[in-house]
Amino acid sequence: MKLADNKATLSFSNGSPSIEMPVYSGNIGPDVIDIRKLYGQSGMFTYDPGFLSTASCQSAITYIDGDKGELLYRGYPIEQLANKVDFLDTCYLLLNGELPVGQQSKDFHKLVNNHTMVNEQLQFFLRGFRRDAHPMAVLTGLIGALSAFYHDSTDINNPEHRHISAIRLIAKLPTLVAMAYKYGVGQPFMYPQNNLSYSGNFLRMMFGVPCEEYVVNPVLERAMDRIFILHADHEQNASTSTVRLCGSSGTNPFAAIAAGVACLWGPAHGGANEACLNMLEDIQKMGGITKVGEFMEKVKDKNSGVKLMGFGHRVYKNYDPRAKLMQETCDEVLKELGLENDPLFKLAKALEKIALEDDYFVSRKLYPNVDFYSGIVQRAIGIPVNLFTGVFALARTVGWIAQLNEMISDSEYKIGRPRQLFTGSVRRDVQR
Ligand code: SDX
């Protein structure tokens, strides 16, 4: 970051001395006012619940232009990555800053493929859960438990440990997500098969069974890979900020990623794809497209507490570019599976059309986000609704790791410790 010519001066109406603060510029996007010395100089904190105007860090990984609806991974537009590279090359880019070339790509694919198996003990960990446990509860447990198996790589300040933990997490997440699914349906776990692609391996571990050959459908394989690319990273969203804050205490990478999984589960964040699919199914049960108008009235009624899941975004005030790519993927998959007339897809498109013309949504700049179509395409592939967020966590793991590593490598980083505006009881004595 570079010092801008501009400076910020904070003055007070009560005559307290004004305070000058430096302004820094990045390469693109808003400048920042450096308030680190504010408390020391004024005895006051800033107040920004939800961090609507707060940059928590400097980062070179992902950039979003919410007004343009642009998403860049290390400078490359998501549209180009989704159409020109695969997920593992995208992982390499997010982790290292450049796309792998030639042998680098082959070596990285091989390295990840050689770490796809998990310790056999983990299956006993799963057995502690009821068969109907939500997969995100299972995954939060399994990923946190991984730290118990890798004492050789839990020192987050050791670059070698960070590297091998990154590879292990990227490689093992598909295996763990598939195990959580198989455990829920009472089928045997499928071991990874390393001659398959990353996405093909995942599909086979999910839908293959030991009693017959599983043939990967290349259209579904490509769709899965694109779903992973679209979910890989997204600046300082809630779960990424959770991973950074958790990792800032020096805890091990597995524990920090488990914290990210727990945060992603929420319906306002990664859980929105599951909530969106359930919403579409509810409208379908109510009568489908004929009931959309009635549903939208509920959404616009503040007292109903009903939101149009898969719509709106803290940063995008234009169309989420991932939603467009996800809709295309939806089209491809539904055509491949002969589901072009999928009623939920038609219903989603009808909802989107109405919302994009309705002043309630237009005035609030609410557009479809990544979660609006991702549930429909995952459901078509055969992924159960309660596993959608697990797939999101699988893909986002590389983004969480890249952001965590960037923080740890930043000489300026400190343990995160926000302050507060205290509104509780002042000092009082126990009357006993
Ligand atoms: C993800 O941060 C990231 O980058 C996240 C993510 C990632 O890749 O990591 O992109 C993934 O989490 C995508 C978002 C998934 N969540 C949903 O689809 C849930 C539905 N969306 C909303 O909950 C909401 O839009 C948020 C949480 C996504 C954003 O909320 P904000 O930025 O805090 O905005 P807000 O709640 O202040 O909304 C502004 C206005 C409000 O109305 P007014 O008070 O101004 O009258 O818009 C309304 C809101 O009530 N509004 C909605 C709405 N989203 C916002 N009204 C109806 N339906 C919605 N979906």
Side-chain angles (χ1 to χ4, degrees), residues 52 64 230-231 233-240 264 266-273 276 299-300 302 306-317 320 322 360-361 364 366 369-372 392 396:
L52 287 114
I64 303 168
L230 296 180
H231 287 86
D233 193 48
H234 215 239
E235 280 193 8
Q236 306 312 316
N237 59 83
S239 53
T240 298
L264 188 75
H269 189 14
N273 49 22
C276 180
V299 169
K300 293 190 280 189
K302 281 266 172 275
V306 174
K307 284 198 184 281
L308 183 57
M309 301 311 281
F311 256 72
H313 199 278
R314 174 64 54 78
V315 177
Y316 288 121
K317 299 310 171 192
D320 182 336
R322 302 169 297 175
Y360 175 93
F361 292 86
R364 292 170 175 80
L366 302 176
N369 59 50
V370 67
D371 293 305
F372 192 61
F392 192 153
R396 185 54 57 89

Side-chain angles (χ1 to χ4, degrees), residues 283 291-301 308 311 350-356 358 360-361:
I283 300 171
K291 291 289 180 185
V292 165
E294 184 185 319
F295 177 77
M296 288 305 237
E297 285 318 303
K298 264 197 218 152
V299 169
K300 293 190 280 189
D301 169 10
L308 183 57
F311 256 72
L351 267 172
E352 178 189 344
K353 186 172 181 312
I354 291 171
L356 294 184
D358 185 300
Y360 175 93
F361 292 86

Side-chain angles (χ1 to χ4, degrees), residues 59 195 197 244 397:
S59 178
N195 61 328
S197 72
R244 278 181 173 257
T397 291

Side-chain angles (χ1 to χ4, degrees), residues 189-259:
F189 302 130
M190 295 292 285
Y191 285 98
Q193 206 163 311
N194 295 343
N195 61 328
L196 296 174
S197 72
Y198 186 85
S199 301
N201 218 351
F202 175 64
L203 289 171
R204 181 180 167 280
M205 289 190 285
M206 281 286 294
F207 305 118
V209 288
C211 24
E212 59 190 45
E213 195 60 30
Y214 179 81
V215 179
V216 176
N217 176 322
V219 173
L220 302 193
E221 181 181 26
R222 183 71 195 122
M224 208 67 245
D225 206 68
R226 178 182 281 192
I227 289 170
F228 293 157
I229 291 171
L230 296 180
H231 287 86
D233 193 48
H234 215 239
E235 280 193 8
Q236 306 312 316
N237 59 83
S239 53
T240 298
S241 301
T242 300
V243 170
R244 278 181 173 257
L245 192 57
C246 185
S248 73
S249 73
T251 190
N252 68 78
F254 304 99
I257 300 304

Side-chain angles (χ1 to χ4, degrees), residues 16-171:
S16 306
S18 60
I19 295 170
E20 272 217 345
M21 290 167 283
V23 172
Y24 289 100
S25 305
N27 295 340
I28 36 176
D31 288 351
V32 295
I33 301 169
D34 184 346
I35 58 165
R36 284 174 286 188
K37 294 195 171 55
L38 177 69
Y39 177 57
Q41 290 172 351
S42 72
M44 285 193 263
F45 299 136
T46 58
Y47 183 65
D48 186 17
F51 311 118
L52 287 114
S53 301
T54 296
S56 62
C57 62
Q58 54 180 306
S59 178
I61 300 173
T62 295
Y63 178 71
I64 303 168
D65 183 320
D67 295 326
K68 283 201 282 188
E70 182 177 59
L71 169 58
L72 307 175
Y73 287 170
R74 298 284 191 182
Y76 292 110
I78 193 70
E79 295 83 355
Q80 294 181 26
L81 293 170
N83 291 312
K84 295 185 175 180
V85 300
D86 71 5
F87 175 65
L88 283 187
D89 281 353
T90 305
C91 289
Y92 186 99
L93 169 69
L94 289 169
L95 291 171
N96 301 300
E98 296 296 338
L99 281 165
V101 281
Q103 196 57 38
Q104 284 177 327
S105 176
K106 291 194 183 76
D107 291 349
F108 188 73
H109 281 67
K110 191 164 182 298
L111 182 61
V112 169
N113 263 1
N114 288 345
H115 287 84
T116 48
M117 274 207 318
V118 295
N119 188 300
E120 281 291 283
Q121 286 303 101
L122 270 167
Q123 58 185 298
F124 304 116
F125 192 98
L126 268 152
R127 290 200 186 138
F129 289 99
R130 289 173 22 166
R131 291 278 180 177
D132 63 353
H134 194 289
M136 286 302 279
V138 176
L139 285 170
T140 308
L142 286 181
I143 294 160
L146 279 181
S147 51
F149 293 86
Y150 296 111
H151 298 296
D152 66 336
S153 62
T154 52
D155 173 3
I156 203 163
N157 294 303
N158 177 328
E160 274 312 300
H161 287 194
R162 289 203 301 271
H163 173 69
I164 184 62
S165 303
I167 298 300
R168 281 170 167 154
L169 280 159
I170 293 166

